[in-house]
Amino acid sequence: MLRPIMIAAAVAVIAPAAQAAAQPVPSAPAPSAEVSKRPTLHVTHTYLRAAPGKRAALIAYIERNWFAMDHIGIEQGLFTSYSLLERADDTTADWDVIVAVGYPTIMGHDAPGTADAFRKIRAAHRETKVDGLGLPELGSIVRHYPLTLVQQGR
């Protein structure tokens, strides 16, 4: 008789904890359906070279500054995406990372209103330095390619 009571007591203690653990964790709000469904028609690639020994700091700088602004650009419908690609091999090259930004129009950054809207985002942004260093000390832009997206898979 004591054993069934102990089992019932254990279930009474464990069941609410298990139920609480099974509850979904709230996440950040998703972009509006209109913004998130816009196709990417243009992508701009910006190649950057890190200063010696500063690749990780350059990446952190891009994430804290450029992507903070790009996130706002997505919310405003100026961009469809942004990403950072890091060169994965140790061959000699004049670049270390690529920043890719997707646009919902074929004109990209040159679309009417886009440059002006992004200028306002940039003016409102306060630079976050990494280890006390800004972009000039962490690296430099090597080149910039505006690209028209011809085809994209899932």
Side-chain angles (χ1 to χ4, degrees):
M1 177 85 147
L2 186 58
R3 189 169 182 201
I5 293 172
M6 290 175 54
I7 292 173
V11 169
V13 170
I14 294 171
Q19 183 178 8
Q23 297 299 319
V25 176
S27 60
S32 71
E34 182 180 322
V35 171
S36 64
K37 290 184 180 180
R38 296 178 80 181
T40 298
L41 301 177
H42 176 102
V43 177
T44 297
H45 283 180
T46 302
Y47 289 69
L48 295 102
R49 174 77 174 171
K54 299 294 183 192
R55 185 186 291 196
L58 175 62
I59 290 170
Y61 182 89
I62 291 167
E63 291 170 341
R64 294 176 191 171
N65 291 282
W66 290 20
F67 289 172
M69 293 183 285
D70 291 349
H71 179 75
I72 295 167
I74 285 178
E75 289 176 343
Q76 292 183 7
L78 304 174
F79 310 139
T80 57
S81 63
Y82 55 87
S83 57
L84 178 68
L85 302 114
E86 181 178 13
R87 195 163 50 83
D89 62 15
D90 60 357
T91 59
T92 302
D94 68 345
W95 64 275
D96 294 304
V97 296
I98 301 169
V99 172
V101 177
Y103 295 85
T105 69
I106 199 146
M107 295 177 71
H109 195 73
D110 295 330
T114 300
D116 289 337
F118 193 69
R119 219 178 337 272
K120 290 177 185 174
I121 293 169
R122 184 178 290 134
H125 177 74
R126 297 299 165 247
E127 180 185 35
T128 301
K129 294 190 174 193
V130 176
D131 300 328
L133 304 174
L135 182 59
E137 298 84 21
L138 297 173
S140 59
I141 296 173
V142 175
R143 62 184 155 277
H144 183 77
Y145 292 115
L147 306 163
T148 301
L149 190 64
V150 176
Q151 184 174 357
Q152 182 176 13
R154 287 192 172 247

